[in-house]
Amino acid sequence: MNDRPLTLMAVHAHPDDEATGTGGVLARYAAEGIRTILVTCTDGGCGDGPGGVKPGDPGHEPAAVALMRRQELEASCEVLKVSHLEMLDYADSGMMGWPANDAPGSFWQTPVEEGAARLAELLRRYQPDVVVTYDENGFYGHPDHIQANRITMAALAMTAQTPKVYWTTAPRSMMQRFGEIMREFGADVQEPDPAEAAAMAEIGLPDEEITTWVDTTAFGGQKFDALAAHASQGENIFFLRMGRERFTELMGVETFVRVQDTTGAVVPENDLFAGLR
């Protein structure tokens, strides 16, 4: 008999990503007695500094921002009842096209094999039954999200393990409503140019291509509080404007596409651990 507990590993790029895309499943599965492992690849140093000071502006100190965000991440993990937090601590690469992309030591500049080898050590240590990360485009083209996908898939190839593997996604039906919802809550949404609009239209998946719809409504309050723990980034976390009740109503299902499976569980499924228990 194998006494190892069922284990979920989520591989994310920055502090606060764990709450946005997987806060519901982390909280739900922790409540169900499943061991939850969060791997955060970067230090978040390209986030806002105290008072909302932006990267590159006077007074923005990446090391100080990284320390602050580490503390916020630990608070978020407490809220979500994450069993183990692992930090790879690569330098935040910033958004695509930022100078930080090219900085030595940034996650984007790190050879995939190097990052994958470190993650493979964690895979061997924790032996997860389910691994979650981003798709090949990092959901919306963020370099650190793309790199997280690359090192995760490479690390899995380095090990003999065969967990169920999922990429986070969003249904296109929801993405079409997103601008409307943002305007509802007072966001200043400008009409994108045709190229940006075409790129936005490619984010997420058609509803029928999503393999896994996990109901996390009962944990919406935890997910909201985990996001709120990242207070320094509040200006950038649009979802906090909704308030807990509306947030839970709109964000109560987390969606994924299953890309590796040996269980034969039928899709669409409503449980990342379908076929494992």
Side-chain angles (χ1 to χ4, degrees):
M1 294 291 291
N2 188 349
D3 293 330
R4 181 181 58 79
L6 281 173
T7 300
L8 166 66
M9 176 180 285
V11 182
H12 281 292
H14 312 97
D16 77 29
D17 290 334
E18 80 292 338
T20 305
T22 57
V25 292
L26 287 169
R28 171 180 163 167
Y29 290 123
E32 293 179 6
I34 287 170
R35 183 174 61 163
T36 54
I37 314 299
L38 171 62
V39 181
T40 301
C41 296
T42 80
D43 61 11
C46 285
D48 287 358
V53 63
K54 304 297 182 184
D57 288 348
H60 187 279
E61 300 179 12
V65 172
L67 176 59
M68 175 177 62
R69 298 195 71 185
R70 170 65 181 255
Q71 294 167 344
E72 292 174 342
L73 177 60
E74 291 172 350
S76 172
C77 287
E78 285 287 329
V79 170
L80 298 174
K81 308 301 182 188
V82 169
S83 306
H84 300 279
L85 169 63
E86 298 285 352
M87 295 284 290
L88 298 187
D89 264 337
Y90 290 107
D92 190 340
S93 310
M95 300 295 286
M96 191 67 81
W98 286 16
N101 295 175
D102 300 320
S106 72
F107 190 37
W108 187 237
Q109 289 298 315
T110 298
V112 169
E113 296 76 13
E114 177 190 320
R118 293 182 62 195
L119 184 58
E121 290 181 15
L122 298 177
L123 289 170
R124 295 185 185 102
R125 181 187 311 169
Y126 291 112
Q127 300 180 53
D129 302 280
V130 172
V131 174
V132 175
T133 192
Y134 315 98
D135 64 22
E136 293 165 310
N137 190 45
F139 186 60
Y140 66 97
H142 194 296
D144 288 331
H145 291 215
I146 294 170
Q147 189 77 329
N149 167 277
R150 290 173 177 172
I151 74 160
T152 300
M153 302 313 291
L156 287 163
M158 289 178 178
T159 72
Q161 298 172 26
T162 56
K164 295 178 80 177
V165 180
Y166 294 89
W167 294 346
T168 57
T169 191
R172 292 263 171 86
S173 60
M174 179 63 180
M175 294 304 298
Q176 290 170 0
R177 294 177 52 210
F178 193 64
E180 177 184 324
I181 293 167
M182 289 179 74
R183 283 186 286 270
E184 177 187 344
F185 288 93
D188 182 15
V189 181
Q190 298 179 343
E191 286 298 321
D193 64 33
E196 289 177 340
M200 285 293 292
E202 293 302 313
I203 293 177
L205 288 173
D207 293 30
E208 63 272 15
E209 292 183 20
I210 292 174
T211 63
T212 311
W213 305 69
V214 183
D215 184 355
T216 61
T217 307
F219 304 93
Q222 274 178 267
K223 181 172 178 173
F224 184 88
D225 290 345
L227 273 172
H230 296 280
S232 69
Q233 309 306 305
E235 180 182 329
N236 300 320
I237 302 176
F238 158 76
F239 301 107
L240 294 175
R241 303 184 195 182
M242 297 180 179
R244 290 165 60 95
E245 184 175 345
R246 185 77 164 126
F247 174 87
T248 299
E249 176 187 338
L250 291 171
M251 306 295 290
V253 175
E254 292 181 350
T255 50
F256 307 85
V257 58
R258 192 174 81 190
V259 295
Q260 178 175 298
D261 173 64
T262 58
T263 70
V266 175
V267 294
E269 59 189 359
N270 60 12
D271 180 8
L272 297 178
F273 288 84
L276 294 169
R277 55 178 178 171

